[in-house]
Amino acid sequence: MAVDELQAIIQRCQILEEADFKGEDFNLFLVAGQKCLEDGYAAQLLEVIQNEKNKVIIKNMGWNLISPLVRCIFMYKQEDDKREHCLRILDQLAQLCNPKELFLGLLEQIEQTSGEQVCQTVMLLLQPLQTVLLKLQNKKAYSVGLSLAMIMNQLTPLPVPYTKQQIQEDKLGLCRCCNAVVDFAKPFVNEVVKNMEKSSEYNDMELKEELIKFCMKALKYPLLTAQLEQLEGIEEHPFRHFATEIIDILWNIGELIPLVFVHHKDKTPHWENQEFADIERKNSADSLACLSYLMFVQHFGVECFPVVFSPSYLLLCNMTHIEVLLKRTEESVLSKGLDLFESCLLRMEDNSLLHHYLEFRDFINVPQDLVKIMTLCPMEHMRKKSLNILQLFIDKFDTEGKYTLFRCLLKTSNHAGVEGYIIKNIKDQIHLALTKEYDNIWFTGHHLISLLDLVLSLPEGAESDLLQNSDRIMASLNLLRYLVIKDCESDNQTGVWTTLGKIEQNFLKPLRVGLNMSKAHYEAEIKNKKENRKEAHSSNTVCSVTVSGEKMPAMTTGMQLQVLHSALFTFDLIESVLARVEELIEVKTKAVMDENS
């Protein structure tokens, strides 16, 4: 019988000195103890462990029982008495065993768990692990750090619940586990806080550094990808609670404000291996970006925040974080970047952001990232939000800033729709310059002429793809039409009349030639398709079309004809505006000549 075998080993070891325990004794104790657990004799094993006479034996050998004990706990149902006995054994082992040995045994058990049992195992072992760590005298900070790192590494592969239903179900227990880990860390946070209160020159930084590492990991996972908006029907959102706890830890150990305002590159440790250094830098950047989102969008810890910084300075501090978030493709992360950017911009007055800020790399990179989202993101609501935020960003700059930003985006966007949108913005700024009393040197005179050189041109002259560039061309023609109508040749505030010859040479004439060529080509295509359809005696003939190297869904001849007619309609639209512009130029030029004659 398993209990008899255990009693025999116990009696043999009771007469031995602690130093005389051999490897064989450890193995026999483990086998007998494991058999007791597996055969359902947990209550008898508990009696053996609680017996004061066996204290030395349990201190040295008890940690070996952790693995079979955890297996049995998961094997029994919640209400089973045997499970309760196993839990009491675990508690006794935490009190009686050699802290160093038990610490390694508990960590090994956490490391070996995987899949659906990860959160259950971690939550089961957190209390005994905390008890053991509080007993450790040597390398305590290292052991706390190792424990937290091991736990977070085990949790990280698990999917983060995102929808309301997933959060409520908490299928794998991640929501509960994350908050349990924070409770596990609290005694060590309190220890750091007490030591800081005792001395203003608190030098024992090891434990503090381990807690910072834990918070940084928690910010990257699960908080970076978690849904953190308040959800109706969930009284206490588990990830919002977790975020509050992480912010509180950072505040209590005096690291919240420094982390918010220190550039992430300064916070990364030195690594000999460049690959490790790059990974660490990226992880740190993700974590700090999430921290900024929590503070400036969700307002966690906002009561700790000093109200002394200007909105433009806060934008400057956050642009690095915004760039990090906008480069990601996951909706949960990308939306945080857009929200953070929008939040920073809404704090500012229009026209208050000085053009000097565009000397910072992030202020050029971020709008380019917005353009990529506007044009490439598969989610329509994200594309629309990006467009709105780009306009908000434009509105905040002073006149010179707007001018510089327009030039940059026209050169870098490589998208006709975006270029058309920027040209419309240029038109709006010219309108303000012509209708307001004060001088605006950036959207009149020689500065504007330089900008018009970019706007009123065709990328490849008459050979340009007019259909692909139609948005830009229409915006350019509308701008030119506005300039010709609004700015009299006698005033010439914009300088458009001075440079009219260049505009005709570089834009209007090539456009006219390109239109004629394109219309002739598409009309010929339509004629060919109609003839081919007659020969095939059916409009349902299917063909394949390749665009940018990708095969598009098959199109019938009828569908192809519809596309070709749509293209012709676009050319007719461009041609009508072009004719109107040419007519206006001719009328105004003739009127001036008549006045002078």
Side-chain angles (χ1 to χ4, degrees), residues 54 66 74 104 118 123 193 195 332 389 434 485 521 581:
N54 302 329
I66 291 295
F74 289 141
L104 294 173
V118 169
M123 284 191 284
V193 172
N195 287 330
S332 56
I389 292 173
L434 294 178
I485 293 171
H521 172 72
V581 169

Side-chain angles (χ1 to χ4, degrees), residues 210-228:
E210 295 299 342
L211 291 171
I212 293 171
K213 287 178 191 174
F214 162 65
C215 290
M216 294 290 274
K217 283 186 178 178
L219 288 165
K220 181 173 171 62
Y221 176 93
L223 292 176
L224 184 64
T225 52
Q227 161 65 270
L228 292 167

Side-chain angles (χ1 to χ4, degrees), residues 295-311:
M295 288 203 70
F296 295 107
V297 179
Q298 295 297 336
H299 304 121
F300 291 114
V302 72
E303 67 280 357
C304 313
F305 197 77
V307 192
V308 295
F309 302 108
S310 70

Side-chain angles (χ1 to χ4, degrees), residues 308-323:
V308 295
F309 302 108
S310 70
S312 55
Y313 179 72
L314 291 179
L315 178 63
L316 174 62
C317 291
N318 278 307
M319 282 301 264
T320 299
H321 306 315
I322 292 164
E323 184 181 2

Side-chain angles (χ1 to χ4, degrees), residues 13 41 134 153 183 274 333 351 365 368-370 404 469:
C13 291
Y41 297 111
L134 288 169
N153 286 343
D183 290 337
Q274 186 58 44
V333 183
N351 308 306
N365 290 350
Q368 291 175 355
D369 290 334
L370 278 180
T404 307
N469 289 286

Side-chain angles (χ1 to χ4, degrees), residues 458 460-467 509-525 568 571 575:
L458 289 174
E460 294 167 25
E463 302 291 326
S464 300
D465 186 335
L466 302 188
L467 199 59
K509 285 182 180 177
L511 180 56
R512 172 62 69 189
V513 173
L515 276 170
N516 292 336
M517 289 166 57
S518 298
K519 286 180 74 175
H521 172 72
Y522 275 78
E523 283 165 355
E525 278 290 311
L568 273 182
F571 297 143
E575 190 172 36

Side-chain angles (χ1 to χ4, degrees), residues 14-34:
Q14 278 177 343
I15 61 174
L16 296 174
E17 292 294 326
E18 188 175 345
D20 294 332
F21 291 153
K22 296 176 182 176
E24 182 187 355
D25 299 321
F26 284 83
N27 289 334
L28 289 171
F29 176 83
L30 171 61
V31 170
Q34 183 172 326

